[in-house]
Short mmCIF file of all heavy atoms in Angstrom, two decimals:
data_model
loop_
_atom_site.label_atom_id
_atom_site.label_comp_id
_atom_site.label_asym_id
_atom_site.label_seq_id
_atom_site.Cartn_x
_atom_site.Cartn_y
_atom_site.Cartn_z
N VAL A 1 -11.82 25.64 -0.43
CA VAL A 1 -11.37 25.41 0.95
C VAL A 1 -12.10 24.22 1.56
O VAL A 1 -11.49 23.35 2.19
CB VAL A 1 -11.58 26.68 1.80
CG1 VAL A 1 -11.25 26.40 3.26
CG2 VAL A 1 -10.70 27.82 1.28
N ALA A 2 -13.42 24.15 1.38
CA ALA A 2 -14.22 23.10 2.02
C ALA A 2 -13.88 21.71 1.47
O ALA A 2 -13.68 20.76 2.23
CB ALA A 2 -15.70 23.39 1.83
N LEU A 3 -13.83 21.59 0.13
CA LEU A 3 -13.55 20.28 -0.46
C LEU A 3 -12.12 19.82 -0.16
O LEU A 3 -11.88 18.62 0.08
CB LEU A 3 -13.79 20.33 -1.97
CG LEU A 3 -15.24 20.52 -2.41
CD1 LEU A 3 -15.34 20.62 -3.93
CD2 LEU A 3 -16.12 19.38 -1.90
N SER A 4 -11.18 20.75 -0.15
CA SER A 4 -9.80 20.39 0.18
C SER A 4 -9.71 19.89 1.63
O SER A 4 -9.00 18.93 1.92
CB SER A 4 -8.88 21.60 -0.02
OG SER A 4 -8.85 22.00 -1.37
N HIS A 5 -10.45 20.54 2.52
CA HIS A 5 -10.45 20.12 3.92
C HIS A 5 -11.09 18.73 4.06
O HIS A 5 -10.61 17.90 4.84
CB HIS A 5 -11.21 21.14 4.76
CG HIS A 5 -11.00 20.98 6.23
ND1 HIS A 5 -9.76 21.05 6.83
CD2 HIS A 5 -11.89 20.75 7.25
CE1 HIS A 5 -9.89 20.88 8.14
NE2 HIS A 5 -11.17 20.68 8.41
N ALA A 6 -12.14 18.48 3.31
CA ALA A 6 -12.80 17.17 3.37
C ALA A 6 -11.85 16.05 2.93
O ALA A 6 -11.81 14.98 3.54
CB ALA A 6 -14.06 17.18 2.49
N VAL A 7 -11.10 16.30 1.86
CA VAL A 7 -10.13 15.30 1.39
C VAL A 7 -9.09 15.01 2.47
O VAL A 7 -8.79 13.84 2.77
CB VAL A 7 -9.44 15.80 0.10
CG1 VAL A 7 -8.26 14.89 -0.27
CG2 VAL A 7 -10.43 15.84 -1.05
N MET A 8 -8.57 16.07 3.06
CA MET A 8 -7.53 15.90 4.08
C MET A 8 -8.05 15.12 5.28
O MET A 8 -7.44 14.14 5.72
CB MET A 8 -7.00 17.26 4.51
CG MET A 8 -5.79 17.20 5.46
SD MET A 8 -6.21 16.93 7.20
CE MET A 8 -7.01 18.48 7.59
N VAL A 9 -9.20 15.53 5.82
CA VAL A 9 -9.72 14.89 7.02
C VAL A 9 -10.09 13.43 6.75
O VAL A 9 -9.81 12.55 7.57
CB VAL A 9 -10.94 15.67 7.56
CG1 VAL A 9 -11.62 14.90 8.70
CG2 VAL A 9 -10.52 17.04 8.04
N ALA A 10 -10.71 13.16 5.61
CA ALA A 10 -11.15 11.81 5.31
C ALA A 10 -9.98 10.82 5.29
O ALA A 10 -10.05 9.75 5.90
CB ALA A 10 -11.89 11.79 3.97
N LEU A 11 -8.91 11.17 4.59
CA LEU A 11 -7.78 10.24 4.49
C LEU A 11 -6.99 10.21 5.80
O LEU A 11 -6.60 9.13 6.27
CB LEU A 11 -6.86 10.63 3.33
CG LEU A 11 -5.79 9.58 2.99
CD1 LEU A 11 -6.45 8.32 2.44
CD2 LEU A 11 -4.79 10.12 1.98
N MET A 12 -6.76 11.37 6.38
CA MET A 12 -5.96 11.43 7.61
C MET A 12 -6.63 10.66 8.75
O MET A 12 -5.98 9.92 9.48
CB MET A 12 -5.74 12.88 8.01
CG MET A 12 -4.91 13.10 9.28
SD MET A 12 -5.90 13.09 10.80
CE MET A 12 -6.88 14.57 10.58
N SER A 13 -7.94 10.82 8.91
CA SER A 13 -8.62 10.20 10.04
C SER A 13 -8.65 8.68 9.95
O SER A 13 -8.73 8.00 10.97
CB SER A 13 -10.05 10.75 10.15
OG SER A 13 -10.80 10.43 8.99
N MET A 14 -8.59 8.15 8.74
CA MET A 14 -8.63 6.70 8.57
C MET A 14 -7.24 6.06 8.53
O MET A 14 -7.12 4.84 8.60
CB MET A 14 -9.38 6.34 7.28
CG MET A 14 -10.87 6.63 7.35
SD MET A 14 -11.73 5.71 8.66
CE MET A 14 -11.97 7.03 9.88
N THR A 15 -6.20 6.87 8.42
CA THR A 15 -4.84 6.31 8.33
C THR A 15 -4.44 5.54 9.59
O THR A 15 -3.91 4.42 9.48
CB THR A 15 -3.82 7.42 8.03
OG1 THR A 15 -4.14 8.00 6.75
CG2 THR A 15 -2.40 6.86 7.99
N PRO A 16 -4.66 6.06 10.81
CA PRO A 16 -4.31 5.26 11.99
C PRO A 16 -5.06 3.92 12.05
O PRO A 16 -4.47 2.89 12.43
CB PRO A 16 -4.73 6.17 13.16
CG PRO A 16 -4.67 7.54 12.61
CD PRO A 16 -5.13 7.41 11.19
N VAL A 17 -6.34 3.92 11.66
CA VAL A 17 -7.12 2.68 11.65
C VAL A 17 -6.52 1.69 10.66
O VAL A 17 -6.35 0.50 10.96
CB VAL A 17 -8.59 2.99 11.30
CG1 VAL A 17 -9.41 1.69 11.23
CG2 VAL A 17 -9.19 3.95 12.31
N HIS A 18 -6.18 2.19 9.48
CA HIS A 18 -5.60 1.33 8.45
C HIS A 18 -4.24 0.77 8.87
O HIS A 18 -3.99 -0.44 8.74
CB HIS A 18 -5.46 2.12 7.15
CG HIS A 18 -4.64 1.42 6.11
ND1 HIS A 18 -5.07 0.30 5.43
CD2 HIS A 18 -3.37 1.69 5.64
CE1 HIS A 18 -4.13 -0.09 4.58
NE2 HIS A 18 -3.10 0.74 4.69
N LEU A 19 -3.38 1.63 9.39
CA LEU A 19 -2.03 1.19 9.75
C LEU A 19 -2.06 0.18 10.90
O LEU A 19 -1.37 -0.85 10.84
CB LEU A 19 -1.17 2.40 10.13
CG LEU A 19 -0.76 3.32 8.97
CD1 LEU A 19 0.00 4.53 9.49
CD2 LEU A 19 0.08 2.57 7.94
N THR A 20 -2.81 0.47 11.95
CA THR A 20 -2.86 -0.48 13.08
C THR A 20 -3.51 -1.79 12.65
O THR A 20 -3.14 -2.86 13.15
CB THR A 20 -3.64 0.12 14.26
OG1 THR A 20 -4.93 0.56 13.82
CG2 THR A 20 -2.88 1.31 14.85
N GLY A 21 -4.46 -1.72 11.73
CA GLY A 21 -5.08 -2.94 11.22
C GLY A 21 -4.12 -3.80 10.43
O GLY A 21 -4.36 -5.00 10.26
N HIS A 22 -3.04 -3.21 9.94
CA HIS A 22 -2.02 -3.95 9.20
C HIS A 22 -0.76 -4.17 10.04
O HIS A 22 0.33 -4.41 9.49
CB HIS A 22 -1.68 -3.23 7.91
CG HIS A 22 -2.72 -3.40 6.84
ND1 HIS A 22 -3.95 -2.77 6.92
CD2 HIS A 22 -2.74 -4.13 5.69
CE1 HIS A 22 -4.67 -3.10 5.85
NE2 HIS A 22 -3.96 -3.92 5.10
N GLY A 23 -0.90 -4.06 11.36
CA GLY A 23 0.20 -4.44 12.26
C GLY A 23 1.20 -3.35 12.57
O GLY A 23 2.23 -3.62 13.20
N ALA A 24 0.95 -2.12 12.16
CA ALA A 24 1.90 -1.04 12.46
C ALA A 24 1.85 -0.70 13.94
O ALA A 24 0.81 -0.79 14.59
CB ALA A 24 1.56 0.20 11.63
N SER A 25 3.01 -0.31 14.48
CA SER A 25 3.08 0.05 15.90
C SER A 25 2.48 1.43 16.12
O SER A 25 2.36 2.24 15.18
CB SER A 25 4.54 0.06 16.36
OG SER A 25 5.26 1.10 15.71
N LEU A 26 2.12 1.70 17.36
CA LEU A 26 1.59 3.02 17.69
C LEU A 26 2.64 4.10 17.46
O LEU A 26 2.32 5.23 17.11
CB LEU A 26 1.12 3.06 19.14
CG LEU A 26 -0.13 2.22 19.47
CD1 LEU A 26 -0.45 2.31 20.94
CD2 LEU A 26 -1.31 2.68 18.62
N GLY A 27 3.92 3.72 17.64
CA GLY A 27 4.99 4.68 17.39
C GLY A 27 5.02 5.11 15.93
O GLY A 27 5.20 6.29 15.63
N LEU A 28 4.85 4.14 15.02
CA LEU A 28 4.84 4.46 13.59
C LEU A 28 3.62 5.30 13.24
O LEU A 28 3.71 6.25 12.44
CB LEU A 28 4.86 3.18 12.77
CG LEU A 28 4.81 3.37 11.24
CD1 LEU A 28 5.98 4.21 10.76
CD2 LEU A 28 4.79 2.02 10.53
N VAL A 29 2.49 4.96 13.84
CA VAL A 29 1.27 5.74 13.59
C VAL A 29 1.48 7.19 14.05
O VAL A 29 1.16 8.14 13.33
CB VAL A 29 0.06 5.12 14.32
CG1 VAL A 29 -1.15 6.04 14.21
CG2 VAL A 29 -0.25 3.75 13.75
N GLY A 30 2.04 7.35 15.24
CA GLY A 30 2.29 8.69 15.76
C GLY A 30 3.26 9.47 14.89
O GLY A 30 3.05 10.67 14.64
N LEU A 31 4.31 8.81 14.41
CA LEU A 31 5.28 9.48 13.54
C LEU A 31 4.62 9.90 12.23
O LEU A 31 4.86 11.01 11.73
CB LEU A 31 6.44 8.53 13.25
CG LEU A 31 7.50 9.05 12.27
CD1 LEU A 31 8.16 10.31 12.81
CD2 LEU A 31 8.55 7.96 11.99
#
């Protein structure tokens, strides 16, 4: 449970930063 949660949080939390850094709109990030 713990390691699976760590994988999910690590990638999910950095996805908005990555997408906006590559020009994605906030709408796409939200979707």
